């Protein structure tokens, strides 16, 4: 049912004939422009229905407005942001930022052809993982490795290769949801393995695993409960006991350690993060971890383990479906290379550098930024405050890191509105809202980004 005022809106074809839109069609994709005009007119009609007497611009002005609107819409929705949330591994913000060395490697191997699957000495076909295999073996002590799309993929592949059609014994308390409402058990079931849950939510003993083993058992699985902790009346089976049991019964033990720390995080005040090296040294057959969590590299899933089981994994058909591209391999290889010298890794890998920044450094920057931000009309006050940052990204929730934030109190509008305005600024800034203040946590901000915080905040005053 068309009401009268709609008749005053020019048609899509009329608008497309107008000089500004004709001009746009000549240099842009026609479908994009036609679609843009339609959507704009739909929105306008909707607005007219809710707002009485909405003035309709004349056709020339309308065309100009549509061109502008389509151009605005061209701003990519995936773009850099300043992470001032204090969550170091923020999955929504892309987890670990990459080292300059990793970015350079991605650039170099992607711009030109690259020796992805050839051996430069012989000219023969080789495996694409060769680029990182040697490094992973050196750094973890594993006999063999493969790299797939992410750790969920690593879990899927390892279970499919080792236990499809068989049972995998796993503690009930370790069957976790990993964010984005993905539940590990559901991923695992896609492998064709049947999960055999043992123990109770808070207690699993080695005898629970022992009693569950039958001729149908394909693997014993231990998952590091990374994004939650069970406290109080609890009992967890140690990986060593599980390894001993697996050895005795000739059943492979898979250890999903999650974060993939390659060095001891206790030096940053982060306790209890399992090390792949340690797990393999104790005799775990297969160890799984993410590349973009504590390792500080690109998104990928790394599988390390003993030759015999890794052969089954590397030759499984799913390997082809889950393999990574040359950009990921280049970034991972460059990141791993930095770990050959732990001091260099801490200096060059952004995640480790952020973790390692002394609180005193954060305080000095927070004080300086507060003074600058307080002069902006958008805020009543801007003050440095001591607070706590979190690792995030599926690491232990009880890991707390000392930090200093700038606490902002907006001069007008709500704190949430100010937070939204900063997200929409250029550069986009993500802070965290706490106690009716907007906190900019410097633990996750590089010193080189301080200026960007000011730049974004100064745009608020204009609106
Ligand atoms: C994060 C996590 C996963 C999933 O890893 P992705 O790389 O995000 O797929 C699986 N298991 C554990 C224990 C984790 O912490």
């Amino acid at each position: 049912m068309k009401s009268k005022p709609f008749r005053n809106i020019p048609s899509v074809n009329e608008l497309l004939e107008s000089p500004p839109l004709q001009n746009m069609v000549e240099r842009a994709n026609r479908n994009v422009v036609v679609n843009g005009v339609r959507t704009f007119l739909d929105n306008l009609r909707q607005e007219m229905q809710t707002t009485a007497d909405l003035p309709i611009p004349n056709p020339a002005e309308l065309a100009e407005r549509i061109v502008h609107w389509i151009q605005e819409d061209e701003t990519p929705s995936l773009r850099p942001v300043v992470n001032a949330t204090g969550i170091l591994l923020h999955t929504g913000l892309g987890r670990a930022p990459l080292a300059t060395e990793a970015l350079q490697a991605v650039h170099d191997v992607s711009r030109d052809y690259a020796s992805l699957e050839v051996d430069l000495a012989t000219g023969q076909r080789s495996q694409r993982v060769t680029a990182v295999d040697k490094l992973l073996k050196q750094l973890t002590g594993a006999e063999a490795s493969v790299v797939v799309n992410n750790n969920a993929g690593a879990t899927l592949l390892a279970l499919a290769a080792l236990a499809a059609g068989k049972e995998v014994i796993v503690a009930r308390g370790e069957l976790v949801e990993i964010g984005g409402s993905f539940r590990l058990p559901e991923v695992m079931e896609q492998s064709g393995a049947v999960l055999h849950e043992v123990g109770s939510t808070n207690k699993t003993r080695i005898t629970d695993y022992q009693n569950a083993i039958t001729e149908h058992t394909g693997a014993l699985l231990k998952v590091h409960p990374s994004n939650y902790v069970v406290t109080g009346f609890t009992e967890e089976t140690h990986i060593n006991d599980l390894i001993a049991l697996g050895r005795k019964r000739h059943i492979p033990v898979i250890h999903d350690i999650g974060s993939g720390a390659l060095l001891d995080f206790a030096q940053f005040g982060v306790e209890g993060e399992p090390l792949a090296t340690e797990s393999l040294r104790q005799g775990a057959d297969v160890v799984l971890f993410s590349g973009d969590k504590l390792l500080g590299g690109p998104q990928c899933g790394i599988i390390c383990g003993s030759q015999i089981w890794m052969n089954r994994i590397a030759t499984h058909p799913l390997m082809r479906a889950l393999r990574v591209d040359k950009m990921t391999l280049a970034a991972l290889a460059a990141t791993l290379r930095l770990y050959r010298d732990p001091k260099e890794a801490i200096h060059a890998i952004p995640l480790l550098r952020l973790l390692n920044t002394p609180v005193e450094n954060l305080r000095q920057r927070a004080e300086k930024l507060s003074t600058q931000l307080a002069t902006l009309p958008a805020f009543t006050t801007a003050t440095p405050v001591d607070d706590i940052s979190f690792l995030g990204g599926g690491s232990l929730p009880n890991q707390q890191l000392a930090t200093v934030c700038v606490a902002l109190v907006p001069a007008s509008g709500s704190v949430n509105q100010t937070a939204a305005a900063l997200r929409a600024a250029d550069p986009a800034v993500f802070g965290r809202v706490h106690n009716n203040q907007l906190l900019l946590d410097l633990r996750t901000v590089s010193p080189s980004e301080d200026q960007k915080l000011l730049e974004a905040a100064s745009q608020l005053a204009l609106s």
Side-chain angles (χ1 to χ4, degrees):
M1 191 190 74
K2 281 196 173 175
S3 63
K4 266 187 180 172
F6 287 177
R7 273 199 238 135
N8 298 333
I9 302 179
S11 73
V12 173
N13 279 338
E14 265 174 86
L15 283 163
L16 285 172
E17 310 259 291
S18 71
L21 280 162
Q22 231 175 21
N23 203 314
M24 195 173 207
V25 168
E26 267 162 38
R27 50 173 191 82
N29 179 309
R30 187 180 162 84
N31 281 339
V32 171
V33 180
V34 174
N35 229 309
V37 175
R38 283 216 182 98
T39 313
F40 189 97
L41 293 186
D42 283 346
N43 293 348
L44 184 65
R45 282 189 202 103
Q46 243 170 32
E47 235 177 300
M48 285 169 67
Q49 262 168 351
T50 50
T51 321
D53 301 330
L54 192 77
I56 299 180
N58 64 50
E61 196 189 320
L62 192 60
E64 285 291 354
R65 266 175 55 180
I66 295 176
V67 166
H68 189 73
W69 184 79
I70 295 174
Q71 276 165 348
E72 290 255 291
D73 207 42
E74 281 169 8
T75 327
S77 57
L78 178 59
R79 56 196 172 108
V81 308
V82 180
N83 174 12
T85 62
I87 299 167
L88 279 143
L89 294 168
H90 195 301
T91 301
L93 300 182
R95 290 197 185 153
L98 292 180
T100 312
E101 287 81 354
L103 295 173
Q104 187 61 47
V106 171
H107 178 265
D108 292 347
V109 304
S110 318
R111 185 198 45 211
D112 298 319
Y113 292 104
S115 58
L116 184 61
E117 288 185 359
V118 287
D119 183 291
L120 289 174
T122 63
Q124 300 293 308
R125 186 83 183 250
S126 73
Q127 293 294 318
R128 64 172 56 200
V129 289
T130 313
V132 291
D133 184 55
K134 193 171 154 194
L135 285 159
L136 281 171
K137 288 193 290 204
Q138 282 171 350
L139 292 168
T140 67
E143 287 173 13
S145 72
V146 299
V147 180
V148 292
N149 183 56
N150 56 15
N151 196 18
T155 309
L156 179 69
L157 176 61
L159 292 183
L162 268 46
K166 293 190 170 174
E167 283 186 1
V168 174
I169 303 177
V170 59
R172 187 159 282 123
E174 295 175 6
L175 290 171
V176 296
E177 180 165 317
I178 51 175
S181 80
F182 279 105
R183 296 195 166 141
L184 229 37
E186 286 165 11
V187 176
M188 291 171 187
E189 275 162 13
Q190 293 299 318
S191 69
V194 178
L195 293 187
H196 185 145
E197 299 171 33
V198 295
S200 59
T201 310
N202 56 335
K203 283 201 175 198
T204 311
R205 302 183 182 88
I206 190 68
T207 47
D208 293 325
Y209 292 88
Q210 232 159 18
N211 296 338
I213 294 177
T214 66
E215 59 192 307
H216 305 298
T217 306
L220 305 178
L221 172 67
K222 183 161 181 64
V223 183
H224 179 58
S226 31
N227 53 5
Y228 71 100
V229 268
V230 183
T231 55
F233 188 59
T234 65
E235 191 169 329
E236 188 191 346
T237 302
H238 198 276
I239 184 71
N240 291 359
D241 295 331
L242 219 51
I243 291 166
L245 178 61
R247 282 262 166 87
K248 202 164 119 203
R249 307 293 292 267
H250 305 288
I251 300 166
V253 174
I254 304 171
H255 194 190
D256 174 6
I257 61 168
S259 296
L262 284 186
L263 37 80
D264 189 0
F265 273 67
Q267 62 185 303
F268 309 119
V270 176
E271 304 285 345
E273 278 301 332
L275 288 163
T277 323
E278 191 53 31
S279 190
L280 288 162
R281 205 167 55 80
Q282 298 299 336
D285 297 283
V286 175
V287 175
L288 319 170
F289 51 98
S290 296
D292 55 350
K293 290 186 180 171
L294 293 182
L295 196 153
Q299 179 195 304
C300 60
I302 297 168
I303 313 180
C304 287
S306 52
Q307 194 72 56
I308 167 169
W309 299 113
M310 291 305 299
N311 284 347
R312 298 245 303 247
I313 290 170
T315 54
H316 190 278
L318 269 178
M319 180 64 220
R320 176 64 183 231
L322 294 168
R323 73 177 186 182
V324 291
D325 73 324
K326 59 185 174 180
M327 294 192 278
T328 303
L329 276 178
L332 180 61
T335 307
L336 292 173
R337 237 175 270 128
L338 294 167
Y339 274 100
R340 289 183 304 183
D341 176 356
K343 276 209 188 69
E344 195 186 348
I346 292 170
H347 177 73
I349 295 173
L351 182 80
L352 303 184
R353 197 168 53 218
L354 291 171
L355 264 171
N356 201 40
T357 309
V359 178
E360 209 33 55
N361 171 299
L362 304 182
R363 193 183 320 282
Q364 280 172 15
R365 288 163 50 206
E367 281 167 3
K368 186 169 167 215
L369 273 169
S370 294
T371 312
Q372 292 166 311
L373 287 164
T375 64
L376 297 175
F379 310 114
T380 315
T381 58
T383 34
V385 292
D386 285 19
D387 207 347
I388 302 290
S389 309
F390 292 90
L391 272 179
S395 53
L396 290 177
N398 57 348
Q399 304 285 18
Q400 306 191 343
L401 302 153
T403 191
V404 186
C405 305
V406 178
L408 299 170
V409 176
S412 64
S414 71
V415 174
N416 283 325
Q417 279 168 342
T418 307
L422 270 182
R423 289 197 300 271
D426 182 20
V429 171
F430 278 66
R432 77 167 178 268
V433 173
H434 184 67
N435 278 346
N436 219 26
Q437 292 184 321
L438 178 59
L439 300 182
L440 301 181
D441 188 331
L442 296 188
R443 173 60 66 193
T444 44
V445 178
S446 295
S448 62
E449 290 176 315
D450 286 357
Q451 198 54 38
K452 292 187 184 173
L453 292 179
L454 285 173
E455 220 176 294
S458 60
Q459 287 162 26
L460 300 196
L462 306 174
S463 58

